[in-house]
Amino acid sequence: AQSVTQPDIHITVSEGASLELRCNYSYGATPYLFWYVQSPGQGLQLLLKYFSGDTLVQGIKGFEAEFKRSQSSFNLRKPSVHWSDAAEYFCAVGAGGTSYGKLTFGQGTILTVHP
Amino acid sequence: DTGVSQNPRHKITKRGQNVTFRCDPISEHNRLYWYRQTLGQGPEFLTYFQNEAQLEKSRLLSDRFSAERPKGSFSTLEIQRTEQGDSAMYLCASSETGGVGQPQHFGDGTRLSIL
């Protein structure tokens, strides 16, 4: 069965600083990987996705993520954080086969941005 | 594209009562998912519909839970004889068919509180 680990429960950065959120996955086949963001009381918004091809994927709001098969990682990065990026971030892996599209999420990382 | 709509946004009920939530997916989306999110955790998969057919149910979905998607349009999730442990955010998502890589679009959820 697939699983996702986000080692950092809470990260604090200063506005303008760079950001990296870690994600490690476990999946028996080629993974379909996603990063979502959730603001308090809201649903999840897709930031970016990886299926195949270029291991560096670009997303919305200036985010990018790099897939590293050898490390089973899919870390999210942003070169310069804005105060509006404060939210909770979830990494997820999608299941194929008969579980078409079912997502398994990590525990989430809460991002706090200091002015 | 009006997005995924969930009603009600909040539901407060007494233990032992039945509750029903509604999800209206994006109109052209054939796939519909229900997830449950408890405080401090990522969403957990509950069930999945392809059109009107319920194709997968999680072990989390006890016999007190039932979901339907008549005519492959909106979906309802009913919880009978609610328990304290049912308190959570219930999220609905929809996606197009075409492979596991189709991104899921989430609604803002229904927050259930059991008194």
Side-chain angles (χ1 to χ4, degrees), chain A residues 32 34 36 38 41-46 49 51 88 90 94-108, chain B residues 9 31 33 35 37 40-45 48 55-56 89 91 98-109 111:
Chain A
Y32 297 82
F34 305 82
Y36 282 86
Q38 185 179 36
Q42 305 287 315
L44 284 76
Q45 180 183 22
L46 179 69
K49 59 187 180 183
F51 306 144
E88 189 161 17
F90 293 95
T98 56
S99 296
Y100 239 50
K102 178 179 74 174
L103 294 176
T104 299
F105 287 87
Q107 189 176 2
Chain B
R9 289 295 311 279
R31 294 180 177 168
Y33 307 81
Y35 294 85
Q37 184 178 22
Q41 300 296 317
E44 295 174 292
F45 171 79
Y48 155 58
L55 298 185
E56 186 172 351
M89 174 80 89
L91 294 164
V100 68
Q102 289 296 332
Q104 294 179 27
H105 299 261
F106 284 80
D108 285 340
R111 181 166 297 283

Side-chain angles (χ1 to χ4, degrees), chain A residues 44-90:
Chain A
L44 284 76
Q45 180 183 22
L46 179 69
L47 287 176
L48 46 78
K49 59 187 180 183
Y50 171 78
F51 306 144
S52 63
D54 193 348
T55 57
L56 185 64
V57 293
Q58 302 297 320
I60 62 171
K61 303 185 180 186
F63 286 93
E64 65 179 25
E66 185 171 14
F67 171 66
K68 293 185 177 179
R69 184 184 298 275
S70 62
Q71 298 177 19
S72 297
S73 69
F74 188 57
N75 294 348
L76 181 71
R77 300 194 295 247
K78 186 169 185 178
S80 177
V81 170
H82 188 262
W83 63 267
S84 60
D85 293 325
E88 189 161 17
Y89 292 79
F90 293 95

Side-chain angles (χ1 to χ4, degrees), chain B residues 81-94:
Chain B
R81 305 180 303 282
T82 52
E83 301 174 355
Q84 291 285 351
D86 297 332
S87 294
M89 174 80 89
Y90 290 84
L91 294 164
C92 177
S94 69

Side-chain angles (χ1 to χ4, degrees), chain B residues 15-109:
Chain B
R15 184 169 54 90
Q17 297 295 304
N18 298 344
V19 294
T20 300
F21 311 139
R22 176 177 170 126
C23 171
D24 288 272
I26 294 172
S27 58
E28 62 268 25
H29 286 183
N30 296 326
R31 294 180 177 168
L32 188 145
Y33 307 81
W34 285 98
Y35 294 85
R36 182 172 69 187
Q37 184 178 22
T38 53
L39 202 60
Q41 300 296 317
E44 295 174 292
F45 171 79
L46 291 179
T47 191
Y48 155 58
F49 289 86
Q50 172 86 23
N51 298 313
E52 67 275 9
Q54 187 174 20
L55 298 185
E56 186 172 351
K57 293 168 61 175
S58 164
R59 285 173 291 180
L60 293 174
L61 215 64
S62 76
D63 56 5
R64 296 186 298 105
F65 287 71
S66 62
E68 295 182 340
R69 192 183 182 196
K71 302 179 182 180
S73 56
F74 70 92
S75 175
T76 58
L77 178 67
E78 181 183 16
I79 310 174
Q80 297 182 328
R81 305 180 303 282
T82 52
E83 301 174 355
Q84 291 285 351
D86 297 332
S87 294
M89 174 80 89
Y90 290 84
L91 294 164
C92 177
S94 69
S95 74
E96 299 179 35
T97 49
V100 68
Q102 289 296 332
Q104 294 179 27
H105 299 261
F106 284 80
D108 285 340

